[in-house]
Amino acid sequence: MRELKIRKPALPHDQQPIVLAGMNARALREQRFGWALVFPSVFIILALILYPVVYNIYLSFFEFKLTGDNIFVGLRNYLGVITDSEFHLAVRATLVYVVFSTVGTTLLGLGVALVMNKKFPLRSFVRSLILLPYVAPVISVVFSWQFIFDPVNGIFMDVFHNKLGLFAERFSLIGSPDTAIWVAILFGIWKNFPFTYLMILSRLQAIDETLYEAAEVDGASGWQKFKSITLPEVYFVVSALILLRVIWNFNKFEEVYLLTSNVKVLSVYTYLKAFTGTMDLGQGSTLAVLQFVILIGFILFYVKKVLKW
Amino acid sequence: MKRGTVCFIALLLILTSAANVFAQGQQAVETRPTGPVTIEFWTTETQSDRMATIQVLIDTFSALNPGITVNLVPVDENDLVTQAQTAYAAKSLPAIFEAPAETAVSFGTQGIVDVATTTRLIEKIGKDRFYAGPLKVLETTGKGDYYAIPYHGWIQGIWYRADWFEKAGLNPPTTWEDILKAAKYFYRPELNQYGILVGTLPEAYTEQCFTPIAMSNGAALFDANKKLVFNSPEMREAVEFYAELAKYNPPGPQTWRARDYYLQGKMAMFFYSTYIMDDLALQEAAMGSLTGDNFKDLIGTDFDPDLVGKTRVASIVTNTSSAGYGTVVSLGLFDQGDPAKTAAAQKFLEYLYTPNAYVTFLHMAPGGMNPMLKEIATNARFQNDPMGLFKRYGTEKMAEIIDGLENIETFSIVGGNRIEAASEITAKQIIPQMLYKITQENVSVTNAMAWAETEMKKLVK
């Protein structure tokens, strides 16, 4: 400690006490070499991720001008957004979208994984077939869906209105603002459940068979085996998948916007606000910051309470 | 477009441009950039066949001007403002853009357009060679300067099934009363048949349909003193009438793509530009529209070769007054801050106004793309279009369409004066957003108009 006290004033601030603890020149070189190795990645992360995030937060306090003369407006953008009824609608639409699409994706993924874990003929073929929606390009499946639901020429109306007579009149399921969100949710579930299924299936295959054998010896029913063995075994995988799905769906833009264009979840609303109509990049940035804050709040809560990390 | 046709055009251009080489060579001595220059050209002609034709023009230009490379970038008309905004922020605006006049004026008022070079270029091409009406639309308030150069233009009208109208004993859809009556009459959703197509999505097409209806009721955005007078009883009537018409649309929010329902015999009337002429008349073009890049939502249907004979157009809407509608599409120069790039862009634009290049460009969509130079309208090669539309519709009918461009009416010209703020309002698509709220989200006319007025005031302040 005495040595520390003596040397401290002579050292530049950025060379921390590690050196002071008696580090030799070689260790110092190695440390520098280490920094040189990680520098490219750190630089890329700072330049491509941190800088836009910080700039976005900075912009949210300004009225953005195309000419570059931004005007500082303090919290006015935040007040404007929070008191805007369209923002409240966007939050509500986002919650509905995230909750239903996450629950749907997870349940369907879990169910399909359980079925696919059983042995049956052509199982590997069916397993890979299920992955198709997930690997198909968004834009091509979006166009297929739009065609299916086209009110005049689509097959959906042809079957349910013309052939079966379930609907009294033709309507645009994707176009109508009331029904579009449900189509978007259905699309999200259909497109993304294979990922959930794949993750859960890989976990299911790692469960020790002897656990089930022991349970059978004890006379456990199918449901009891599922509840007491399968569920606890897949709990953390499913919880992690839910967390990822919530994050992904909360920020989901391309699927929702390309398919419907009128379901204003937060990401779509932010885009519309920032880049269309009377383009307001200041308020757009504010929305992005709020979206980020809401999401971080949820992640912290979830990680602490559900994942118990 | 077939590869053979493209090659043929290329060959033709190279051969026929030989005469211009000498003259161009002389000009090149004056403005030739010191080293190789690369410029970008944003075009709104996003269909693949049109891009191929423009690329042929660029290749020909490059052969004549080896130091200049022109990169063609397709930008959807509805994304132009957004793209320009982001490109400006990233300092990567293209040298040349193709844009509807209202959008070009909007760029101009934001100060990102090279007005001086544009005006010089118009003088060089010859101000008197242009139709006066389209030039007026692009003039600055100070007069004498221009935001962009008119290049081509189209007229809009209500295209309708004349055979259905005759059978039903209905008048052609020229007055508000007749339009509504016919829309109601032909709206038979139980037979999967619809009365009319008016735009209801928040897109440019919606405003294009709405403008003649508003103007035919004497409604305006601004008065002669540049005061915002949007929220007037006349405008309200027009909005209410439009919302009423939209009830006889095919289900859901609609845009121009739904014109295919007409080609399939499922609709009686639709607002559309003269671009539809080739689709109506030509099997190849119609098949392309039904299955190609234009309309991914629908599969094709059998082409009705008699449809052109059964279709007529009402180009004027009448209520308390009469109004027509059309759009001038312009070529403009974004401020580059680099004389070499500006010189190269200027050279390319001059080339595009040479007769052969110009006619080749316009022939991409005969009827849809009409010339802005008077002499081109009477040019023999122009009148001999490869699709044979002039022959099919008659030179007289085509001349009538081109003449209509002289009297284009928009919200942004009031009493002969151009009002930039009106172009801003059009470019920001406030009116289409308002109409979407009313027709699709069931927002009341009063509330939607109040919302639109507030948004407009943000731009006017």
Side-chain angles (χ1 to χ4, degrees):
Chain A
M1 287 306 282
R2 184 184 295 166
E3 199 176 81
L4 178 78
K5 276 180 184 169
I6 294 163
R7 285 192 182 184
K8 193 173 181 180
L11 276 171
H13 183 66
D14 57 343
Q15 291 181 17
Q16 288 300 312
I18 315 161
V19 184
L20 313 174
M23 181 179 279
N24 59 29
R26 189 178 162 182
L28 193 67
R29 265 204 316 276
E30 275 185 11
Q31 195 190 38
R32 281 187 185 147
F33 183 60
W35 271 109
L37 286 177
V38 295
F39 175 75
S41 348
V42 170
F43 175 76
I44 289 170
I45 290 171
L46 288 180
L48 296 181
I49 298 175
L50 205 62
Y51 170 72
V53 169
V54 172
Y55 185 63
N56 184 74
I57 295 171
Y58 162 84
L59 264 192
S60 68
F61 296 104
F62 286 84
E63 188 184 322
F64 181 83
K65 295 279 177 200
L66 194 60
T67 46
D69 309 321
N70 298 342
I71 303 165
F72 181 74
V73 292
L75 289 173
R76 202 174 74 193
N77 281 336
Y78 285 88
L79 284 174
V81 166
I82 289 167
T83 53
D84 181 3
S85 61
E86 288 207 37
F87 171 69
H88 302 155
L89 289 175
V91 170
R92 203 192 308 163
T94 310
L95 287 179
V96 169
Y97 178 76
V98 170
V99 168
F100 283 92
S101 59
T102 305
V103 169
T105 311
T106 311
L107 288 181
L108 190 63
L110 180 64
V112 174
L114 289 171
V115 173
M116 288 298 133
N117 201 30
K118 305 278 176 213
K119 285 197 176 80
F120 60 89
L122 294 175
R123 183 173 70 164
S124 37
F125 174 70
V126 178
R127 274 181 179 176
S128 36
L129 207 64
I130 288 174
L131 290 176
L132 269 182
Y134 191 67
V135 294
V138 178
I139 192 71
S140 56
V141 284
V142 156
F143 278 128
S144 315
W145 275 59
Q146 281 182 341
F147 175 62
I148 289 168
F149 291 107
D150 182 276
V152 177
N153 292 326
I155 193 163
F156 180 83
M157 275 298 149
D158 188 52
V159 171
F160 290 95
H161 168 72
N162 268 21
K163 305 262 182 341
L164 301 177
L166 285 183
F167 303 120
E169 57 184 26
R170 287 173 178 268
F171 60 96
S172 177
L173 209 58
I174 287 188
S176 161
D178 298 334
T179 52
I181 190 165
W182 299 105
V183 181
I185 289 169
L186 206 64
F187 181 83
I189 294 172
W190 172 81
K191 178 99 181 72
N192 297 309
F193 87 88
F195 180 78
T196 309
Y197 138 80
L198 203 65
M199 295 296 116
I200 297 176
L201 182 64
S202 56
R203 181 70 193 91
L204 284 175
Q205 287 175 338
I207 299 175
D208 193 347
E209 272 299 312
T210 54
L211 292 173
Y212 291 104
E213 285 164 14
E216 268 167 34
V217 171
D218 290 342
S221 67
W223 168 246
Q224 283 171 324
K225 277 192 281 182
F226 174 73
K227 201 176 79 150
S228 306
I229 303 169
T230 314
L231 218 47
E233 287 286 332
V234 298
Y235 178 82
F236 282 103
V237 173
V238 172
S239 308
L241 282 169
I242 289 175
L243 179 65
L244 284 175
R245 183 54 53 205
V246 168
I247 295 171
W248 290 338
N249 283 4
F250 198 85
N251 294 323
K252 187 73 77 186
F253 177 80
E254 77 284 9
E255 284 175 18
V256 181
Y257 185 71
L258 289 174
L259 185 70
T260 65
S261 82
N262 56 6
V263 173
K264 290 179 193 162
V265 291
L266 269 175
S267 52
V268 173
Y269 181 61
T270 304
Y271 167 76
L272 295 176
K273 194 87 186 166
F275 294 110
T276 61
T278 44
M279 283 185 272
D280 193 336
L281 276 181
Q283 283 214 355
S285 307
T286 309
L287 278 162
V289 172
L290 288 175
Q291 194 174 338
F292 182 69
V293 168
I294 296 173
L295 195 56
I296 286 287
F298 169 78
I299 292 171
L300 291 177
F301 169 80
Y302 189 86
V303 166
K304 208 171 162 61
K305 295 287 173 191
V306 180
L307 292 177
K308 299 179 180 117
W309 285 348
Chain B
M1 191 176 283
K2 303 279 181 299
R3 184 186 287 180
T5 320
V6 174
C7 292
F8 174 68
I9 293 171
L11 191 69
L12 197 71
L13 277 168
I14 291 169
L15 289 175
T16 52
S17 297
N20 295 320
V21 173
F22 178 64
Q24 295 221 355
Q26 278 190 319
Q27 286 166 15
V29 176
E30 296 159 23
T31 51
R32 177 176 287 164
T34 46
V37 185
T38 301
I39 53 170
E40 256 185 25
F41 173 25
W42 280 9
T43 177
T44 46
E45 312 305 328
T46 52
Q47 286 102 323
S48 51
D49 55 342
R50 292 189 192 171
M51 283 191 60
T53 306
I54 300 173
Q55 192 57 53
V56 168
L57 290 174
I58 290 173
D59 293 344
T60 313
F61 174 77
S62 300
L64 298 169
N65 300 275
I68 303 173
T69 308
V70 182
N71 289 332
L72 185 64
V73 180
V75 180
D76 188 277
E77 186 184 315
N78 287 304
D79 295 335
L80 254 181
V81 177
T82 309
Q83 295 286 347
Q85 166 119 354
T86 41
Y88 179 85
K91 296 189 173 38
S92 61
L93 278 173
I96 306 168
F97 62 87
E98 182 193 11
E102 303 296 333
T103 313
V105 172
S106 163
F107 290 155
T109 53
Q110 289 169 39
I112 57 177
V113 161
D114 188 343
V115 174
T117 310
T118 308
T119 308
R120 262 204 315 275
L121 201 50
I122 289 180
E123 301 286 354
K124 198 169 177 187
I125 295 166
K127 214 171 179 176
D128 298 339
R129 292 168 68 199
F130 286 95
Y131 285 106
L135 214 47
K136 174 111 219 147
V137 180
L138 287 155
E139 198 171 20
T140 58
T141 310
K143 301 211 170 161
D145 287 339
Y146 297 92
Y147 290 125
I149 318 167
Y151 197 54
H152 56 94
W154 48 263
I155 296 288
Q156 183 185 257
I158 301 179
W159 300 79
Y160 63 100
R161 286 291 296 256
D163 55 333
W164 292 8
F165 273 68
E166 270 166 35
K167 205 172 156 194
L170 291 166
N171 293 328
T174 52
T175 65
W176 278 26
E177 200 185 329
D178 288 332
I179 298 170
L180 186 61
K181 198 172 165 190
K184 269 184 191 165
Y185 181 85
F186 291 116
Y187 181 73
R188 292 176 191 170
E190 68 282 3
L191 301 173
N192 207 11
Q193 177 188 303
Y194 305 92
I196 193 168
L197 169 67
V198 292
T200 45
L201 266 178
E203 286 186 6
Y205 173 72
T206 302
E207 181 151 342
Q208 290 159 10
C209 299
F210 177 71
T211 306
I213 287 180
M215 296 191 93
S216 64
N217 200 40
L221 292 183
F222 292 90
D223 65 10
N225 301 319
K226 300 187 178 179
K227 193 172 154 245
L228 185 70
V229 291
F230 164 76
N231 211 341
S232 63
E234 292 83 10
M235 186 63 84
R236 193 190 166 88
E237 271 173 27
V239 171
E240 282 169 349
F241 177 70
Y242 194 87
E244 179 68 16
L245 278 186
K247 288 180 186 162
Y248 307 104
N249 253 5
Q254 294 297 351
T255 182
W256 62 271
R257 290 172 173 181
R259 55 91 194 261
D260 284 33
Y261 300 146
Y262 180 87
L263 298 178
Q264 294 165 351
K266 293 173 180 170
M267 205 157 61
M269 295 180 277
F270 66 115
F271 274 89
Y272 214 82
S273 66
T274 40
Y275 272 98
I276 199 69
M277 292 169 84
D278 59 341
D279 293 280
L280 284 172
L282 299 159
Q283 183 144 18
E284 195 184 33
M287 294 291 278
S289 291
L290 292 173
T291 57
D293 295 343
N294 297 336
F295 204 76
K296 294 196 169 62
D297 303 11
L298 291 178
I299 53 161
T301 185
D302 289 339
F303 176 71
D304 179 359
D306 299 327
L307 193 60
V308 64
K310 297 170 185 167
T311 300
R312 264 178 229 147
V313 59
S315 53
I316 303 287
V317 178
T318 307
N319 195 40
T320 56
S321 60
S322 293
Y325 182 76
T327 283
V328 171
V329 180
S330 59
L331 295 173
L333 297 157
F334 279 126
D335 213 340
Q336 295 290 291
D338 177 352
K341 281 192 175 184
T342 306
Q346 191 177 337
K347 219 156 182 296
F348 182 63
L349 286 187
E350 279 177 50
Y351 164 73
L352 286 181
Y353 281 91
T354 57
N356 286 314
Y358 204 171
V359 170
T360 302
F361 195 103
L362 299 175
H363 277 177
M364 285 194 283
M369 290 180 178
N370 297 291
M372 292 292 149
L373 294 180
K374 292 176 220 163
E375 74 220 32
I376 300 291
T378 51
N379 180 306
R381 199 187 140 217
F382 173 65
Q383 293 184 345
N384 187 21
D385 65 290
M387 295 180 183
L389 272 192
F390 273 83
K391 285 196 186 99
R392 201 179 288 257
Y393 285 93
T395 313
E396 212 171 289
K397 176 80 189 161
M398 299 300 275
E400 193 187 309
I401 287 169
I402 296 167
D403 283 348
L405 285 165
E406 191 68 299
N407 305 310
I408 277 177
E409 286 180 75
T410 69
F411 283 133
S412 60
I413 304 274
V414 181
N417 289 317
R418 129 154 309 290
I419 296 173
E420 275 99 343
S423 299
E424 279 281 278
I425 288 168
T426 301
K428 303 291 166 65
Q429 300 181 348
I430 294 171
I431 291 173
Q433 289 185 61
M434 172 192 77
L435 293 168
Y436 176 81
K437 284 176 190 291
I438 295 168
T439 57
Q440 306 301 315
E441 292 180 339
N442 297 323
V443 176
S444 71
V445 172
T446 309
N447 288 348
M449 283 185 73
W451 171 85
E453 194 180 22
T454 312
E455 292 296 303
M456 287 174 190
K457 280 181 179 163
K458 284 185 198 167
L459 293 175
V460 176
K461 70 179 175 188

